């Protein structure tokens, strides 16, 4: 759609609610200032703009809350499905859930035909550790809904949605990594599926069921490189049995270590590759901004395409290319890799008439 390649790689994060029915130890959702559900008419406006103006963009229908809690969740999927047909778009939905939902949600995830993947947040191989980490959750309900999704896919002879099982590596669960990989690999095979085991969420082939071992991202109360390095090291040291180097599917050039931030800092890929929409229509460039304090605009009275190509976000992009990381980005411990190639960044600068910044960027990298 855009002449600039980088702007065509957008993934849209659409948060239906910032409510959650659990109180997980690694999440600060309980501290979010204003809890709310996205209104139906706002959802329809935003969805229309997505399928019309961003017809190839994946839509992650989650960000800070549990989307399946929205009282109109199934109806909102229907709205998006109808708009997708009307505009003949290629958008597909990705859902992340704690799996504590009713049977009607499982049917909607399959029958809508627009949900490409469902990520189940698990983090444990048994109920004892699970309920310690995901406080308020029921391990048996999670397993039931996970298996039900696989079973109904088979019954209805459909491939979608793919399922991703998420395990965030922490001190509380690192001893269960091997058991988790083994247990859920066996469970998948019960349905004729051989899952791919990953060490992160960044992978090229989407069309597979997956078991993912992710590093923990420090929250705002532990906003330091030292803390993040601890969790990065814990992650890499803990997963070596389930993901040997020779079968590691990730890009070996992308070493996720905060030590890189002390050497050279790339502009955040989120400014080009992601955009977050909060339940009240506030638009933020970052999923690490739960209260929407980093505001680019609001979709109640603005268009998404205008915000995405507007002066405000472009200023953030150009500042970071030049090496200026203002708040809230200055202390971020999550952005480590480029997320895009030098050729894509150079193309972006040339096409917006800022080619002089390319030399400044390359000189900064050599220092």
């Amino acid at each position: 759609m855009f002449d600039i390649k980088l702007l065509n790689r957008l993934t849209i994060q659409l948060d239906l609610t910032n409510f959650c029915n659990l109180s997980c130890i690694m999440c600060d959702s309980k501290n979010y200032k204003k809890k709310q559900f996205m209104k139906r008419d706002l959802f329809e406006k935003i969805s229309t703009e997505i399928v019309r103006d961003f017809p190839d963009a994946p839509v992650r229908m989650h960000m800070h809350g549990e989307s399946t809690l929205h009282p109109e969740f199934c109806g909102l999927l229907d709205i998006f499905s109808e708009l997708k047909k009307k505009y003949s778009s290629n958008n597909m939905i990705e859902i992340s859930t704690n799996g504590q939902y009713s049977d009607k949600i499982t049917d909607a995830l399959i029958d809508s035909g627009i949900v490409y993947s469902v990520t189940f947040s698990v983090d444990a191989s048994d109920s004892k550790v699970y309920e310690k980490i995901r406080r308020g959750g029921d391990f048996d309900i999670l397993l039931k809904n996970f298996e039900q999704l696989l079973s109904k896919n088979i019954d209805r002879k459909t491939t979608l949605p793919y399922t991703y099982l998420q395990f965030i590596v922490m001190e509380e669960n690192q001893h269960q990594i091997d058991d988790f990989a083994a247990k859920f690999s066996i469970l998948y095979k019960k349905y004729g599926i051989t899952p791919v085991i990953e060490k992160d969420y960044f992978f090229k082939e989407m069309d597979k069921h997956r078991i993912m071992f992710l590093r923990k991202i420090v929250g705002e109360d532990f906003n330091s490189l030292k803390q993040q390095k601890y969790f990065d090291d814990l992650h890499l040291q803990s997963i070596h049995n389930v993901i040997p180097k020779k079968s590691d599917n990730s890009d070996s050039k992308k070493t996720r270590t905060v030590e890189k931030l002390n050497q050279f800092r790339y502009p955040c890929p989120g400014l080009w590759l992601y955009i977050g929409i909060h339940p009240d229509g506030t638009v933020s460039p970052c999923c690490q901004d739960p209260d929407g304090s980093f505001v680019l605009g609001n979709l109640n009275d603005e268009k998404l395409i205008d915000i995405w190509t507007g002066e405000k976000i472009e200023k953030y992009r150009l500042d970071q290319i030049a090496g200026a990381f203002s708040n809230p980005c200055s202390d971020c411990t999550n952005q480590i890799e480029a997320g895009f190639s030098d050729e894509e960044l150079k193309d972006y600068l040339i096409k917006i008439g800022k080619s002089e910044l390319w030399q400044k960027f390359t000189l900064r990298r050599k220092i």
Side-chain angles (χ1 to χ4, degrees):
M1 183 187 69
F2 296 103
D3 183 42
I4 302 171
K5 185 177 180 182
L6 257 183
L7 297 184
N8 285 324
R9 291 179 55 191
L10 176 65
T11 292
I12 297 169
Q13 299 175 110
L14 180 60
D15 212 6
L16 301 185
T17 181
N18 52 7
F19 277 100
C20 187
N21 48 351
L22 303 188
S23 181
C24 303
I25 62 173
M26 63 290 198
C27 180
D28 59 358
S29 64
K30 60 183 178 297
N31 298 323
Y32 297 168
K33 295 175 183 176
K34 186 178 180 181
K35 300 290 184 71
Q36 56 196 313
F37 294 105
M38 181 173 285
K39 294 179 180 178
R40 186 186 183 95
D41 58 347
L42 177 59
F43 175 85
E44 188 164 0
K45 173 189 180 293
I46 294 170
S47 297
T48 300
E49 292 182 21
I50 290 173
V51 298
R52 183 190 65 210
D53 301 330
F54 302 89
D56 297 314
V59 179
R60 293 180 181 169
M61 209 169 278
H62 60 270
M63 192 160 58
H64 299 116
E66 173 59 41
S67 294
T68 63
L69 289 177
H70 197 293
E72 296 184 88
F73 177 79
C74 299
L76 297 183
L77 286 182
D78 290 339
I79 288 173
F80 197 95
S81 178
E82 289 303 311
L83 288 169
K84 184 175 183 291
K85 293 174 185 174
K86 179 179 178 179
Y87 287 90
S88 301
S89 77
N90 299 315
N91 309 94
M92 294 297 283
I93 301 294
E94 301 171 15
I95 298 288
S96 181
T97 177
N98 56 38
Q100 307 294 304
Y101 53 70
S102 64
D103 290 353
K104 70 176 184 178
I105 299 295
T106 299
D107 292 328
L109 293 173
I110 298 172
D111 295 340
S112 68
I114 59 170
V115 179
Y116 187 84
S117 66
V118 177
T119 298
F120 289 91
S121 300
V122 188
D123 304 321
S125 61
D126 61 39
S127 60
K128 183 178 180 180
V129 175
Y130 173 82
E131 289 163 13
K132 179 181 179 181
I133 294 173
R134 296 200 162 267
R135 294 175 300 199
D138 187 311
F139 192 64
D140 292 332
I141 290 176
L142 171 65
L143 291 181
K144 175 187 78 73
N145 285 330
F146 168 65
E147 287 203 70
Q148 189 177 71
L149 190 60
L150 297 179
S151 176
K152 288 190 174 184
N153 265 351
I154 292 173
D155 292 343
R156 299 177 193 188
K157 296 181 173 58
T158 181
T159 304
L160 300 179
Y162 290 103
T163 57
Y164 304 153
L165 296 179
Q166 176 180 288
F167 186 109
I168 299 175
V169 178
M170 298 171 274
E171 292 172 335
E172 292 83 358
N173 63 8
Q174 61 174 321
H175 63 287
Q176 290 199 327
I177 288 176
D178 292 1
D179 288 343
F180 185 88
K183 176 174 184 170
F184 283 99
S185 292
I186 291 171
L187 197 53
Y188 267 122
K189 287 178 182 177
K190 176 181 173 182
Y191 298 94
I193 297 167
T194 301
V196 176
I197 299 179
E198 303 277 7
K199 76 168 186 178
D200 218 322
Y201 199 87
F202 303 95
F203 40 79
K204 296 176 182 178
E205 296 178 303
M206 302 294 289
D207 57 342
K208 293 182 178 3
H209 296 270
R210 303 189 128 77
I211 297 173
M212 306 182 303
F213 293 95
L214 311 184
R215 65 184 186 127
K216 180 180 177 180
I217 304 298
V218 298
E220 58 185 12
D221 295 333
F222 305 97
N223 204 351
S224 71
L225 297 181
K226 184 177 180 181
Q227 282 282 344
Q228 188 60 61
K229 185 177 186 306
Y230 170 78
F231 289 115
D232 289 354
D233 291 345
L234 179 69
H235 172 250
L236 292 174
Q237 292 164 7
S238 301
I239 63 174
H240 67 276
N241 285 336
V242 294
I243 310 180
K245 284 187 177 181
K246 64 180 180 180
S247 62
D248 187 348
N249 293 316
S250 64
D251 186 345
S252 60
K253 294 181 181 179
K254 294 184 177 180
T255 306
R256 295 188 64 83
T257 167
V258 294
E259 290 177 341
K260 281 193 170 185
L261 287 176
N262 294 325
Q263 301 167 14
F264 171 75
R265 188 167 181 181
Y266 280 92
C268 178
L271 293 170
W272 285 268
L273 306 184
Y274 301 97
I275 202 162
I277 304 171
H278 295 263
D280 64 353
T282 298
V283 178
S284 171
C286 184
C287 64
Q288 301 296 312
D289 181 28
D291 288 318
S293 57
F294 190 179
V295 179
L296 296 174
N298 192 293
L299 293 174
N300 281 286
D301 46 30
E302 296 177 77
K303 292 181 180 178
L304 183 59
I305 193 167
D306 292 337
I307 294 173
W308 183 238
T309 58
E311 292 181 4
K312 193 166 187 178
I313 192 170
E314 184 172 290
K315 183 180 186 305
Y316 282 114
R317 291 167 180 158
L318 298 180
D319 283 349
Q320 291 200 7
I321 290 171
F325 294 84
S326 57
N327 286 330
C329 304
S330 56
D331 296 323
C332 178
T333 57
N334 188 27
Q335 189 272 308
I336 293 167
E337 300 139 2
F340 42 73
S341 68
D342 284 357
E343 290 74 20
E344 288 174 311
L345 186 59
K346 187 176 182 179
D347 173 73
Y348 169 77
L349 289 171
I350 290 172
K351 288 180 177 174
I352 66 168
K354 298 288 183 179
S355 56
E356 69 277 6
L357 276 178
W358 175 248
Q359 184 177 9
K360 189 171 184 177
F361 171 77
T362 55
L363 286 173
R364 184 169 70 87
R365 186 165 55 183
K366 291 176 181 178
I367 296 175

